[in-house]
Amino acid sequence: MDVQLAIVGAGPAGLTAYIYAARARLKTALIDKLGAGGQVLTTDWVENYPGFPEGISGYDLSQQFLKHAQRFGLEPVIGEVQKLVRENKAFLLETSQGPIRAQAVIVATGARPNRLGVPGEEELTGKGVSYCATCDGPFFLNQVIAVVGGGNTAVQEALYLTRFAQKVFLIHRRDRLRATKILQERALAHEKIQIIWDTVVERIEGQTEVEAIQLYNRKTGQRSRLEVGGVFIFVGIIPQADFIGPELVDKDDRGFIITDAEMATKTPGLFAAGDVRVKACRQIVTACGDGACAAYQAEQYLDSLA
Ligand SMILES: Cc1cc2nc3c(=O)[nH]c(=O)nc-3n(C[C@H](O)[C@H](O)[C@H](O)COP(=O)(O)OP(=O)(O)OC[C@H]3O[C@@H](n4cnc5c(N)ncnc54)[C@H](O)[C@@H]3O)c2cc1C
């Protein structure tokens, strides 16, 4: 397939970039390994995206984004980009669906959840260890569960899990939450949530499914065992950018792509947008902003080639 612009990733950044590119009449391909939606699909409720004063479910919001892009002709390619290379002055994307050649590329591949990296985590993933409350929450009806983390996602998802669980222990390694104040207030006031401060998970135990977690209090040095039926882990994200080498982009020490304020990487014609790039605030609204900006810059770049 030969196109002017290839967009990799159909989360909020990629779908917004598509809408802008399609309205600029660019011949555009948008490819995603899972279909459209990105991380928004795993979000129960979004109450900070403008235009939805009552909030909107993550699923519904992602469907609105998709519908909007489809109005401008989107036919997403379902496939994984395995490698991105420079070919003459253009780009070659090696994908699971065959090669795509493009004059310009926007990388909007987002991020995936970080692992705790403790014994038992890998073996018990899908057997009580989860990284997605909307996907797995209903399996934990009336159970005692743990949520690990202290940022927005951890607190928001702990609150969501109170719908199902009998009790939610929120395990945080510091003595205060990082989450935004309104979420902190809700968690602190919630009768089903108990926060365990200054504590890390050292091990997840269970024969065929999660039975307990071993905890270590970083202030007192005490170790304890907590019986839980599930562990939800929200301890940050890692970028999905392994398919791009250092000859094309610079990355920070965690692997996020470095861009300028206009989403340009060090390679002319190659842009990055959304959670995959180095930035302070990784949210749906900022991903959309990045996508719009990257598409605008790609259009300018393609014009400069003509
Ligand atoms: C549980 C949870 C709750 C959240 N709650 C909120 C909230 O309330 N409000 C808010 O503003 N933000 C929230 N966020 C953050 C928000 O979802 C992200 O900031 C946003 O989705 C980033 O969009 P993106 O387009 O950059 O990337 P993503 O949404 O991560 O989308 C990237 C897409 O790229 C695809 N992809 C990756 N690699 C490849 C490849 N090699 N080939 C092809 N396709 C690929 C993926 O399949 C994915 O669809 C939440 C996140 C999580 C996980």
Side-chain angles (χ1 to χ4, degrees), residues 46-127:
V46 177
E47 56 174 32
N48 54 5
Y49 190 77
F52 298 94
E54 310 302 327
I56 181 168
S57 81
Y59 177 81
D60 286 347
L61 183 59
S62 66
Q63 293 313 295
Q64 291 291 336
F65 287 160
L66 178 61
K67 223 162 109 185
H68 196 156
Q70 282 169 334
R71 201 195 130 211
F72 293 103
L74 175 67
E75 285 176 25
V77 179
I78 312 277
E80 179 167 6
V81 176
Q82 287 145 346
K83 205 164 173 45
L84 175 65
V85 292
R86 201 88 163 110
E87 195 186 62
N88 304 322
K89 282 189 177 155
F91 298 92
L92 172 67
L93 293 90
E94 294 173 13
T95 89
S96 53
Q97 303 302 307
I100 299 176
R101 287 185 175 74
Q103 303 291 308
V105 174
I106 297 173
V107 176
T109 41
R112 60 183 172 77
N114 213 352
R115 307 284 184 257
L116 274 180
V118 298
E121 180 180 18
E122 202 180 322
E123 300 87 308
L124 292 165
T125 293
K127 297 169 187 158

Side-chain angles (χ1 to χ4, degrees), residues 29 32 42 57 80 96 129 153 161 181 190 200 204 210 227 241 250 261 274 287-288 301:
D32 194 298
T42 68
S57 81
E80 179 167 6
S96 53
V129 173
T153 302
L161 286 164
K181 286 284 182 297
H190 204 291
V200 293
I204 302 172
V210 170
E227 287 190 7
D250 291 327
C288 293
Y301 171 77

Side-chain angles (χ1 to χ4, degrees), residues 9 11-13 32-33 38-39 43 48 81 109-110 156 240 274-275 283-284:
D32 194 298
K33 61 183 175 181
Q39 292 171 70
T43 305
N48 54 5
V81 176
T109 41
Q156 185 176 299
Q240 306 201 88
D275 278 14
Q283 289 282 281
I284 300 165

